[in-house]
Amino acid sequence: MLEVWRRESRLMVHRGLAQAFREGRPMIFSADMEMEDGALLPAEIVAAPLRGPTGLPDRLLGLYQPLGADGDEAKDVQGLIVRAMTPAATPPVRRAALTLAAVDGRRIA
């Protein structure tokens, strides 16, 4: 996942991803998408850790949303430049964590 980020952003992104895995909660990155023509378009990127059979995060789901763009511009992105990162808010203690359970491919909870 680090290859899509500009070299100068990789250390900060790496630290954010490590924190997401360690805490088991999504990290939100504010970024600029560097286009072929040099223009910068703002975007938000979420890296959400997914828990495996052990109950520990072992994968990431990445989502991005160009801000102020039609969406077609994203195909010409040359690299991402991180501006800020913020961990997702921790859910209230009273609320149970959302999980999905499946048996033989059939969702049961």
Side-chain angles (χ1 to χ4, degrees):
M1 181 172 178
L2 290 176
E3 287 92 29
V4 299
W5 295 90
R6 295 287 307 267
R7 184 171 300 280
E8 62 272 14
S9 295
R10 290 180 186 169
L11 181 59
M12 185 175 183
V13 172
H14 182 272
R15 288 180 178 159
L17 296 176
Q19 182 178 346
F21 271 111
R22 188 174 55 252
E23 296 177 2
R25 64 180 172 155
M27 183 63 68
I28 303 163
F29 296 94
S30 296
D32 289 317
M33 300 185 305
E34 183 180 28
M35 310 308 289
E36 245 179 344
D37 63 2
L40 298 175
L41 294 176
E44 284 186 343
I45 295 133
V46 175
L50 300 175
R51 293 183 181 165
T54 66
L56 298 173
D58 62 1
R59 307 163 292 222
L60 275 177
L61 174 65
L63 304 167
Y64 79 99
Q65 173 64 53
L67 304 174
D70 297 335
D72 286 342
E73 291 90 345
K75 65 184 177 192
D76 298 324
V77 174
Q78 300 300 301
L80 297 170
I81 302 164
V82 70
R83 286 186 280 120
M85 65 180 189
T86 309
T90 304
V93 176
R94 292 176 279 152
R95 188 173 166 198
L98 179 63
T99 60
L100 174 65
V103 173
D104 295 327
R106 194 181 87 205
R107 289 189 291 185
I108 59 171

